[in-house]
Amino acid sequence: MFEIFLFINPIGIYCYDTERQIRKTVDELGVDVCYHYIPIANVCLVNDDAIRRRQDAQKLPDISTFSKATYEALENYHAIKLTYGNKKARRYLYELQKRLSQDASAYKPELLQEIATELDIKNSPIETIKQSDYLHTSIEEDQKLANQWRIQATPTTIIFDENNDQNGVLLEGPVNQTDLIHLFLPNSSNWFSNFLPQQNHLRLI
């Protein structure tokens, strides 16, 4: 069993591709995996994403609109998770990322509601949760975990092999399928052991 923590920008340019690559590799190898999605957002992450998108020749809404979209997506994710559970919250975020991964200018305020409607997510309970302390607590808990593991960029993927004394491997940036295959193959414990644990039992590669 592998445990995967995905630290992602809610609408980050490389986050969708990273999630898709991991799921594709896991499905192809048929390995047993437990996922944890940890969306995080701050001014630096928003600016980094805007720079990446400009380098990718994407059109962007103005930075204030782009920033608002990021934080609104973050709040919606947590509100949906608290109301409908992790599975539907992940589907919501995945659909949003898919639509914005290649074209940030596709964002419009109505897009978030369109996706929610497609997934049969009712607006009233979501808005109620967004006004509560539960939402802020949920966001803060994810941020505490990011701080604990000193996550500086998104996407960042942390993989634990439960058969290897919980030593973890940290992959920063877009993932490489070759590295994922080495990690998930039956003899991957030998590959894990090549990385001596650093602080928090993680090794940056």
Side-chain angles (χ1 to χ4, degrees):
M1 163 71 85
F2 293 92
E3 194 168 16
I4 300 178
F5 292 79
L6 291 164
F7 291 86
I8 54 176
N9 178 321
I11 60 172
I13 181 173
Y14 299 134
C15 296
Y16 169 72
D17 291 336
T18 296
E19 295 164 44
R20 184 175 59 176
Q21 182 65 74
I22 291 172
R23 289 189 175 275
K24 177 175 180 290
T25 304
V26 166
D27 290 343
E28 288 178 351
L29 297 178
V31 295
D32 195 8
V33 164
C34 175
Y35 292 100
H36 303 277
Y37 278 65
I38 304 96
I40 54 177
N42 57 47
V43 173
C44 291
L45 293 178
V46 172
N47 288 337
D48 286 348
D49 193 49
I51 291 170
R52 291 172 177 175
R53 289 179 183 274
R54 291 191 184 103
Q55 291 173 341
D56 202 43
Q58 288 194 23
K59 294 181 179 179
L60 286 172
D62 64 84
I63 193 63
S64 62
T65 299
F66 190 62
S67 178
K68 180 181 178 182
T70 302
Y71 286 103
E72 188 170 3
L74 178 68
E75 290 185 349
N76 282 356
Y77 169 85
H78 283 275
I80 294 168
K81 181 179 73 171
L82 291 168
T83 306
Y84 290 93
N86 286 319
K87 187 175 181 180
K88 184 157 284 192
R90 291 170 186 169
R91 285 184 61 196
Y92 170 83
L93 207 57
Y94 192 75
E95 287 299 319
L96 180 61
Q97 291 171 336
K98 180 167 64 175
R99 300 189 191 199
L100 298 179
S101 63
Q102 301 298 320
D103 182 11
S105 66
Y107 171 78
K108 55 183 179 179
E110 298 79 13
L111 178 60
L112 303 177
Q113 183 56 49
E114 287 176 10
I115 295 173
T117 300
E118 290 173 6
L119 297 177
D120 197 26
I121 295 170
K122 306 301 182 184
N123 186 61
S124 178
I126 297 304
E127 290 303 317
T128 299
I129 286 291
K130 288 171 71 172
Q131 302 303 316
S132 73
D133 291 337
Y134 296 111
L135 180 82
H136 303 296
T137 299
S138 183
I139 292 174
E140 288 172 2
E141 287 176 352
D142 280 356
Q143 187 59 56
K144 285 178 182 177
L145 185 60
N147 293 341
Q148 176 187 336
W149 284 342
R150 300 182 182 180
I151 304 301
Q152 301 294 325
T154 56
T156 292
T157 306
I158 296 175
I159 303 175
F160 289 100
D161 179 359
E162 292 191 353
N163 296 318
N164 193 45
D165 298 326
Q166 295 297 307
N167 289 335
V169 172
L170 187 153
L171 303 154
E172 192 172 89
V175 296
N176 180 290
Q177 187 177 33
T178 300
D179 287 340
L180 289 174
I181 291 173
H182 281 304
L183 283 165
F184 294 137
L185 284 176
N187 63 350
S188 63
S189 59
N190 294 328
W191 197 84
F192 264 97
S193 67
N194 290 330
F195 295 89
L196 297 176
Q198 294 182 328
Q199 291 184 356
N200 301 319
H201 304 291
L202 298 176
R203 174 73 177 188
L204 176 64
I205 64 173

